[in-house]
Each structure stands twice: as C-alpha cells, then as structure tokens.
Amino acid sequence: MAVILRPLALFTITFFVLSCILFTADTAVRLWSAVIFIFLLSVFVVLRFTAFREKTMKRAVIIGLCFFLLGGALASVISHYTFDVRYSAFLEAEEFNTEFNGTVTEVVYDGGRFAVYTVEIEDAGKLSNFKCNMSGEGGIEANMKIKGTATFYQFESDDLYRHYISEGILLEAEAEGLEIVGEGGFSFQNEAYKLNKSLSNIYYDLLGEDGGGFAAALMLGNKENLPKIVSRDFQRLGLSHVLAISGMHLTIICAFVSTLLYPLGKRVGRIGCIFTIIFYMIITGFSASVTRAGIMLLVLILSSFLRRGGDSFTNLGIAVFLISVIDPFACTDIGLQLSFSAVFAILLYMTKRRSLQEAEKDKKTSKSLFLRLFRNLWEGAVLTMVVVLFMLPLEWLYFGEISLVSPLTSPVFSLGATLLLWTLPILLLLSPASSIA
C-alpha cells in the first residue's frame, strides 16, 4: 500500500475518485459522500502517521496528506463549477422552442426522411455553446453548419442521461425546417470518423459483413455491423469487455508494432509505439478507456527515454486526471470508471504477487511444462476474479446484473482475442491501398 501513498498518485487518484462521486449523485449525497470519503482517508493517513516514529515517515505521510487534501479540493471546485454552476442551467431548463444555429459533429442515424444528429449548438436563445442530440429530416452530413427551429428538452430516461452526459451531450431536440448554411472548417473528429469507417470497410470487403463486423468491433470499436447474436452471446458469457475497446487492445497492438520493428532497435520500436498509440486514439474517437491506456503507455515510454523508473499507480492517476481536467463530464463515463477499477485491481494484485515471488526466489519451482501452463492459467483465473470483484459494485449499480461465469470464460476468450488482435492488423497491411481512399 505504500506505493499508493506516493504524492502524485494520491493527488490524481483522489481527484478522479472524488470527481466520480460528485458527478453521479444529487447535491445531498455528493456532499455527504465527499465528507465521509475525506474523513475515512484522513483517519487512515493519521493512523499511519501515529504508527511510525521515524521523522522521514512522518514527513512522507504529511506530504501525502497534503496532496490528498489538494486532490479533494480541486475535485470539489471543478465539479461544483461544471455541475452546479454550468450544467444546472440545463437541468433547470424546461421544454422550450427557439431558433438555433450550430454544426453537425456526427450523424447518428440517417433513414432519409428521418435522421438523428449530434449538433454543437452555438446559439439557442437563452442557452449557448453546448451539444445536443437532434432529430430532423435526413440528408445532412457531418461538419455541416445548419440553422432552423427546434424544441429542446431533457433526456427521457436515466440510462440516456448517463450515456450522453459522459459525451458532453446535455439536451435532446426535435428540429423543423433545417437549412444548410455552409460547411464547417477542418474537423478532427469528423476526419477520424471517416478514417475509422474506411478501415472498417476493409474488413467488410475481406471478411464479409458478419465477420468484418466482428473484426471492426474488436479492432476499431465500430459496432455498426456487429451481429446482434454475437453481442448477445458475449454479454451472456460476461465478455462484453472484450468487444469494448480498451487498454487490452491498445497494449496488444503496441506489442505487435514493437515486435514488427524489433530488428530496427528498441528506440525505433518505442517511437513506432508512440505513433501507433496516438493514431489508435484518433481513429477510436478518443474513447475514454483507450485514452486512459494511451496516456499510461505514453508516460511509460517517455520514462524509458528519460531513463527514469516508472510507477504504474502514478501513471494511472495521471491518465484519469488529465482526462477529467480536459473534459470534466468524462467522470460520468461508465467505461472509464470500469476501466479504472479493473486496472487498479490488476496493479494491486501484481504488486502483491511480486512481493510473494521475491519471497519464493530461493525455493525450488517445478519446471514441468504442464504444471507451469496450469499455474499460468490458474493465476489468470485468480486475476480475473480479483478484477470481477473490484468491478462488481459498479456493474451492479449501473446494470443491475453480473456474470457468474466471467472468471471462467475471460482467461480463455481473452487468449483468443489476443490472437485475433495480432492477426487483424496484418489484414489491414495486406489489403489494397485503394480501400483506404
């Protein structure tokens, strides 16, 4: 546990955890949760302070306590401004009809006569500079500037609220008389979306609609053509995390690139991984879980360039801290919360596992291939169980159900997913270049 009390890790992790609490509860619950959270951790730190008499330990604990309180204070300030000040205007807004102008950032659905768009609203009467989900007539493409008259209202269900608020989408709207008034400037998000679609089309061409849909979902996070029966079966087996692009996918892809560039030297391999991480974050639309893993890997690679030792807890804290500061609404992202819980559980387990391995160094270990394989599978199952237990409260809170077979299926299917993720980049490399045009 000592590593968790490192000042930067304590500051950043405290900031993220407390931000999640403050963003996902009403005012009274947020206040009491913050008080209880700060009280319990303060007691924990004080107990550690009184348990040791060495001056160096006292100094370290006092510094840790200061960073902890600083993280809690910063989380309270940012969440208060974002939620209680800025977003309260949208929560209090009743249904209203007004003229608006804005830019389409994404075409969610287009059926011709009816379509759903994500629109960055510049001005809509008493409200301005916000995102909304807008339904209206079809035929409008992303990055088009539009205007018209729309009725704005709040989300109809809590599930929609939780999902869209994490993406910064604050209201829904029904529009009439949409007019295209021009084309927006260069849109990074739009270009990334087009690139993702182009790469997905390669899989559709090579593997067919069903196989390509599975490959695009597994590799690129594009689930438009993922067969519903596949999604259902993965959910029943407790393997939805395999299809949700995350750090596992990015780590495997970086390992693939590093192996590919190994003959050119470690330095070239690291540089290749940096470009791969940035490129993958772009084409997946800066998904919160992928961005978290990407930042952790970039910090790790940067530490190796600077010849400085890395700390995984600190890297995790830096990643979620940067995501939350740049986009405070990201704290409500269920995927990011689950990803954080899973990685935190893995780091705790591996820290304890290393200490046990060091204690067993002098002991004789079996060199039987079968026993080593069994031991690796057993450790994988134990690690999966640890992760499942850490994620259990959040899964029950958000989904109201858990998969009891996940500890058995995850180690086996994760191995299969790893083999597929090593194979799918090769298909992209061998595909005709014209397919990306």
Side-chain angles (χ1 to χ4, degrees):
M1 293 294 292
V3 68
I4 305 175
L5 290 178
R6 290 181 181 178
L8 186 57
L10 187 59
F11 166 70
T12 52
I13 291 177
T14 299
F15 171 84
F16 176 72
V17 173
L18 192 55
S19 293
C20 291
I21 295 173
L22 293 172
F23 270 99
T24 54
D26 58 39
T27 303
V29 174
R30 285 189 288 124
L31 176 62
W32 280 108
S33 297
V35 171
I36 294 171
F37 181 80
I38 291 175
F39 173 75
L40 291 177
L41 280 187
S42 298
V43 170
F44 173 74
V45 174
V46 169
L47 290 176
R48 287 187 63 89
F49 174 73
T50 56
F52 297 93
R53 299 302 178 185
E54 294 86 352
K55 292 183 179 180
T56 54
M57 179 60 70
K58 288 183 179 180
R59 182 171 178 271
V61 172
I62 292 174
I63 293 175
L65 178 61
C66 292
F67 273 80
F68 162 71
L69 295 176
L70 181 61
L74 183 61
S76 300
V77 169
I78 291 180
S79 61
H80 172 72
Y81 170 77
T82 306
F83 193 87
D84 294 326
V85 176
R86 182 168 178 262
Y87 187 53
S88 61
F90 296 92
L91 287 176
E92 296 170 359
E94 298 180 356
E95 183 176 311
F96 65 97
N97 184 276
T98 184
E99 294 182 353
F100 76 93
N101 60 78
T103 303
V104 177
T105 59
E106 182 182 354
V107 180
V108 180
Y109 168 80
D110 191 347
R113 294 185 178 182
F114 174 81
V116 179
Y117 310 102
T118 300
V119 182
E120 183 77 47
I121 301 295
E122 297 173 8
D123 179 50
K126 57 184 178 181
L127 298 176
S128 59
N129 299 322
F130 66 95
K131 280 185 180 181
C132 76
N133 262 11
M134 180 175 291
S135 58
E137 55 265 33
I140 299 175
E141 298 180 359
N143 206 36
M144 291 290 185
K145 287 186 172 294
I146 60 174
K147 69 175 184 178
T149 302
T151 300
F152 294 86
Y153 52 91
Q154 296 180 17
F155 300 111
E156 297 179 353
S157 69
D158 291 339
D159 291 337
L160 290 176
Y161 166 78
R162 290 181 184 277
H163 172 69
Y164 289 124
I165 191 67
S166 66
E167 299 180 355
I169 300 173
L170 306 182
L171 292 174
E172 289 187 295
E174 294 180 2
E176 297 178 357
L178 290 178
E179 297 181 28
I180 299 175
V181 296
E183 187 173 346
F186 175 80
S187 172
F188 199 76
Q189 179 182 2
N190 189 41
E191 295 302 318
Y193 176 74
K194 289 180 179 178
L195 181 58
N196 187 296
K197 292 279 287 185
S198 298
L199 294 174
S200 298
N201 287 334
I202 294 176
Y203 287 132
Y204 303 151
D205 293 340
L206 294 175
L207 303 174
E209 186 172 342
D210 289 345
F214 176 75
L218 182 64
M219 181 74 179
L220 305 171
N222 186 347
K223 299 181 181 179
E224 291 181 358
N225 291 318
L226 177 67
K228 292 183 179 180
I229 189 173
V230 173
S231 179
R232 182 203 65 190
D233 291 342
F234 269 70
Q235 185 174 3
R236 288 178 176 177
L237 291 171
L239 298 170
S240 298
H241 62 280
V242 174
L243 293 178
I245 51 175
S246 61
M248 178 189 77
H249 300 67
L250 185 56
T251 302
I252 293 172
I253 292 171
C254 282
F256 173 83
V257 172
S258 180
T259 303
L260 197 65
L261 300 177
Y262 180 78
L264 301 178
K266 290 185 179 180
R267 190 178 187 86
V268 175
R270 290 169 183 167
I271 295 174
C273 286
I274 290 175
F275 283 104
T276 300
I277 292 168
I278 296 173
F279 177 75
Y280 194 68
M281 287 194 295
I282 291 173
I283 64 173
T284 54
F286 287 95
S287 166
S289 55
V290 172
T291 303
R292 187 272 311 157
I295 295 175
M296 288 187 68
L297 287 173
L298 288 174
V299 173
L300 182 63
I301 294 173
L302 180 61
S303 300
S304 66
F305 273 121
L306 299 176
R307 300 182 184 277
R308 299 289 298 272
D311 172 33
S312 298
F313 286 101
T314 303
N315 293 351
L316 174 62
I318 291 173
V320 294
F321 176 79
L322 290 178
I323 293 172
S324 303
V325 168
I326 295 173
D327 180 14
F329 287 114
C331 291
T332 63
D333 189 294
I334 298 174
L336 180 60
Q337 293 180 19
L338 291 173
S339 175
F340 171 83
S341 300
V343 174
F344 195 79
I346 292 172
L347 295 181
L348 285 176
Y349 175 83
M350 295 308 296
T351 300
K352 184 65 176 178
R353 184 68 188 137
R354 288 193 200 98
S355 63
L356 292 175
Q357 287 177 338
E358 290 178 0
E360 296 176 354
K361 274 185 178 179
D362 298 331
K363 296 181 180 180
K364 293 184 179 181
T365 57
S366 174
K367 296 186 178 180
S368 168
L369 179 62
F370 175 78
L371 290 178
R372 280 186 293 175
L373 178 61
F374 176 78
R375 184 174 181 177
N376 289 337
L377 290 174
W378 172 253
E379 289 184 355
V382 172
L383 178 58
T384 303
M385 178 63 75
V386 172
V387 172
V388 168
L389 290 176
F390 257 73
M391 296 171 64
L392 178 62
L394 286 176
E395 290 183 347
W396 189 263
L397 173 66
Y398 291 127
F399 308 119
E401 60 181 13
I402 58 173
S403 173
L404 298 178
V405 298
S406 180
L408 299 176
T409 57
S410 288
V412 177
F413 280 87
S414 294
L415 177 60
T418 300
L419 296 176
L420 279 174
L421 285 170
W422 274 79
T423 305
L424 293 177
I426 298 176
L427 292 179
L428 288 178
L429 294 175
L430 297 179
S431 64
S434 58
S435 298
I436 307 180

